Every structure is written in structure tokens, then in C-alpha cells.
Amino acid sequence: MVAQDQPIEVEFCTLGMFIIDDIDFGGSRPGVKNILGGAASFAVVGARLVSGSKYARSVSWIVDVGSDFPSETLDVIKSWNTSCVFREDPSRLTTRAWNGYHPDEKRDFKYLTPKLRLEPEMLSDSQVWSKTFHMVCSASRCMSIVHDILQRRDELRKAGKAPSAAHASKRPIFVWEPVPDLCTPEEQEKFFAANKVVDVVSPNHMELGMMFDHPGWTEKSQEGRQLVQRITDSGIGPDGNGMLVIRAGKDGSYAYSNFAKIWLPAYHQPDAEGATPVIDPTGAGNSFLGALAQGMVTAGREPFQVIDSVLSNSETWKKALESWGNYQHHPMALICATVAAGFVVEQIGVPQIDPDGNGEELWNGTEFTERVRLYTQRLLRTLEESPQRHTLVN
């Protein structure tokens, strides 16, 4: 079944699944049920935060609606005003899953109802022409998805069905999140192969460690730095200019290409008493990557203008950007991703959107661009205090 076409220029499209979650916090607090979730929902929230209301319709995805789909969930999705394609099938249940958390941030996951995986052939023509794609899958499936999307674009182009937009002739950006269950030593060879067809590969620190038979990954160890070097040397992206982005939870993110690297702290930091606004980390990684993908095609828009206005006089920042060469928008996209993830951890489920009537769009009571400003001002201070820490100079 192919989703109905939408006459819209799509900038972000996810092949993640929509899931309704039950969450078990391992006894630290009561569990919850019927939570809007899944990689698709959280990735879309991330992209939608960065897009803002003006470009909301450029964020596109597919939601499979089963007979048990909660009406309040439908209301939340519609409030985002994305280009969402709802596929209704009353003969099946909505995909549901259980998430269990351990004290060390390790997560267990299992499906409670049969899953309905999205395939590239299910995308509408306008979705196939998206500027960016987000995937959560195995290495083998990642390579298959990239191949199938590029093939469909080629077929549409030959049939004279390519959009007139300039981006139609460009290769889209592929952002790949390796599925945690297959971050194993047996998958290493396929991992390296898949890296060569995507523009961003992003395991979290625990998953990267598991894939290389370590208890975890840390930038502070020589072993950790050597592993990063091995991955970037082996090649990311078809032209070798892709990024390895390691999501490290409360420690922020580490991004590496074959010519530059940067560390960005998480948005939320504990206060002097150790208190933190972080309620539930579920979906933060998906939102980070959705925001990153959208940010990679957002150069020149308001979030980037805010970042530039705060950091433009910092020599440390200028030097950091120069090291990224033609990809100076990547660190700025990573800032957007960091801020987006900060919204997602503040509650169980997705952040709440509220247009305030003055043309502003509030998420959890604040504007996205205002948080970008606050985060970037804090980043400016730490850049000047410890530039080597941010640019990962040992």
C-alpha cells in the first residue's frame, strides 16, 4: 500500500515506526502505559522542533492506525501540523511495545503486538524526494533502504516525475541509528559496510561498546579514541565526508568526521545539589537524530541565525567551524539536536506544544529558538574556558 501523495517539498522523512509504549522504570518509580512513542514519533518531534511552525509541513512520516488507536494520541499528532500520512487498518492492533530501564541507562525492549515495518515502497513520491531520511534498523536493512530509495528516485527522474526543485538532482542525506539488538561483534563487518552508504551513523555509547565487545565507550580512554579513528578511517558516507555521532546520554554527544571533531554537552546539567529536570530518557536519541537531520538542511534559518549571533565573535568557535570545511553547518545542526533532545527528556512521552497566540510556538512553555539561545550562551562560556575539551584535542 503506497501512501497518498502530498504536493509539498519534504525536508525530513523517517522510516522509523510509530509505537504506543508501556514503560517500566525498574522499580525506581511506577510504570506507565499507553504513551505515544516509537522512533518515528520522537524523530519527528526533533525535526519539528527545528523546522518551526513555518516549515512544519516539510516534516513527513507514516502512522499506522489500528483498531485500538487512542483518540487523544491522534489529537497530539495533529497538533504538530506535520505532513503525516495516516494508514488505517481496523483489522489489526496498533504496534505496541514495552520499554524497561536499568539504573545504568541500559534499556530493554520488546514488542507486545505484531509490528508493521515501513518499507521504502510505502513512501509517497513526495516523501521519496525528501532532503533527509532517518532510519533505525540493522546494517543490512540500512543498505537495502538506501539502495531502494535511490533507485526509486532514479526511476521517477527517468519517468519525468522529478520535482523541479534544485535538490532533486542531489543525493539525500541519510541518518542511520543502528538498532540496539544488533550492536554485536558479529555485525561489525556489516556495520562498516553500511557506514559507507550513509551520511551520519549514530550508535549511543553503550551500543558502540557492545558492538566492539566492550562494556561501553568513553572518549577519555585511548581504546575509545582508537575505535573512533578506526571507524572514521574505514569511511563514512559515499564520499568519505560523513559523520560518526556518538550519543552519550547525560554526557552529551561526540561527533567525528575524517577532518574534524566536536563534543557538545547535554542541554540539561545537574544543579549544585545534583537535581535535574530529566524525567524520562525514552526517545531522546531518536529526537536528537531527527533534529540533526532537519538541522543539516536548515542553514540560514532562525535557529542558525541565533547560534551565529551568539558565537560569531568567539575565536575558538571560528576555528572549530573552520576545521569542518564545507560542512560548517554540521556543528550548528548538532546544537539544534542537543536542544531538541532536552525537550524530550522533561516528561514521559513527547513534549507538549502550545501556540500562545502571539505568533510564537511554545513547547513545554518555551520557544525552541529561545532554548537554542540559552544553550549557545552557555556553550560560549565553556568554549572559552576549555576549548580543547570541546574540540577534543588531547
Side-chain angles (χ1 to χ4, degrees):
M1 177 180 178
V2 178
Q4 288 185 343
D5 208 10
Q6 314 142 62
I8 193 113
E9 183 173 280
V10 177
E11 294 182 336
F12 173 84
C13 184
T14 180
L15 282 103
M17 286 194 303
F18 174 87
I19 300 173
I20 292 178
D21 283 329
D22 292 351
I23 305 174
D24 180 344
F25 295 103
S28 60
R29 62 188 131 130
V32 292
K33 296 182 181 294
N34 235 28
I35 304 298
L36 192 165
S41 304
F42 285 111
V44 162
V45 165
R48 178 61 181 78
L49 280 159
V50 179
S51 76
S53 58
K54 184 177 179 181
Y55 298 96
R57 303 289 294 167
S58 70
V59 176
S60 192
W61 56 317
I62 295 173
V63 170
D64 284 300
V65 176
S67 60
D68 59 340
F69 199 87
S71 60
E72 60 271 22
T73 300
L74 193 62
D75 293 340
V76 172
I77 293 172
K78 287 182 176 178
S79 73
W80 302 343
N81 195 32
T82 57
S83 294
C84 182
V85 177
F86 294 98
R87 302 193 306 175
E88 297 184 21
D89 183 355
S91 68
R92 70 180 297 273
L93 294 174
T94 306
T95 304
R96 292 176 177 268
W98 173 87
N99 294 267
Y101 282 96
H102 299 261
D104 61 359
E105 296 185 20
K106 184 178 182 296
R107 183 179 73 140
D108 290 329
F109 176 89
K110 66 181 178 183
Y111 288 101
L112 301 175
T113 61
K115 66 179 180 180
L116 186 57
R117 203 162 74 171
L118 291 180
E119 302 294 351
E121 65 264 21
M122 296 173 180
L123 301 178
S124 69
D125 286 357
S126 58
Q127 286 174 325
V128 169
W129 288 111
S130 177
K131 293 182 179 181
T132 66
F133 291 93
H134 165 255
M135 306 169 286
V136 186
C137 55
S138 68
S140 299
R141 186 157 184 262
C142 169
M143 290 184 280
S144 173
I145 288 172
V146 171
H147 172 270
D148 290 353
I149 286 174
L150 294 179
Q151 186 175 52
R152 265 195 72 187
R153 287 166 76 111
D154 196 40
E155 288 167 356
L156 289 168
R157 199 179 289 111
K158 287 175 181 174
K161 294 181 180 178
S164 57
H167 79 262
S169 60
K170 292 182 182 175
R171 187 181 188 275
I173 293 168
F174 290 99
V175 175
W176 174 44
E177 194 176 340
V179 68
D181 288 355
L182 290 174
C183 289
T184 63
E186 293 76 25
E187 285 282 304
Q188 279 182 32
E189 192 174 325
K190 291 177 183 174
F191 172 75
F192 284 116
N195 288 349
K196 291 179 170 60
V197 304
V198 299
D199 302 274
V200 176
V201 55
S202 182
N204 69 28
H205 61 303
M206 299 294 292
E207 293 157 0
L208 184 62
M210 290 189 306
M211 185 172 292
F212 291 89
D213 217 10
H214 304 313
W217 175 89
T218 172
E219 198 275 333
K220 294 181 176 68
S221 73
Q222 185 178 0
E223 195 174 49
R225 294 192 292 271
Q226 287 173 341
L227 177 54
V228 165
Q229 192 70 50
R230 180 182 164 193
I231 294 169
T232 54
D233 284 352
S234 72
I236 301 170
D239 57 4
N241 291 328
M243 268 197 301
L244 167 66
V245 180
I246 303 169
R247 293 167 286 116
K250 63 181 183 295
D251 294 325
S253 67
Y254 298 82
Y256 305 87
S257 70
N258 62 8
F259 43 80
K261 49 194 175 181
I262 193 166
W263 167 69
L264 293 173
Y267 181 82
H268 288 301
Q269 299 296 316
D271 62 19
E273 284 76 42
T276 171
V278 176
I279 301 296
D280 178 17
T282 306
N286 307 131
S287 291
F288 180 98
L289 294 175
L292 176 60
Q294 180 67 36
M296 290 170 81
V297 293
T298 297
R301 295 182 190 166
E302 191 177 6
F304 275 44
Q305 292 170 11
V306 169
I307 295 167
D308 192 55
S309 69
V310 175
L311 295 178
S312 58
N313 292 326
S314 166
E315 290 302 319
T316 303
W317 179 249
K318 284 180 187 174
K319 287 178 184 175
L321 285 190
E322 283 168 8
S323 69
W324 287 85
N326 294 329
Y327 300 90
Q328 293 185 16
H329 57 296
H330 285 185
M332 298 169 91
L334 286 159
I335 287 175
C336 291
T338 302
V339 175
F343 279 91
V344 170
V345 299
E346 292 175 346
Q347 66 286 301
I348 295 169
V350 296
Q352 185 173 349
I353 187 171
D354 174 30
D356 77 345
N358 295 324
E360 295 179 339
E361 183 177 80
L362 306 180
W363 294 80
N364 289 355
T366 56
E367 280 188 290
F368 175 75
T369 49
E370 179 55 25
R371 286 208 185 179
V372 169
R373 187 186 312 281
L374 292 171
Y375 178 81
T376 310
Q377 287 170 344
R378 195 168 74 214
L379 182 63
L380 175 63
R381 291 195 298 272
T382 59
L383 272 169
E384 301 309 318
E385 290 166 6
S386 53
Q388 293 182 320
R389 174 81 175 97
H390 285 282
T391 53
L392 301 174
V393 176
N394 299 309

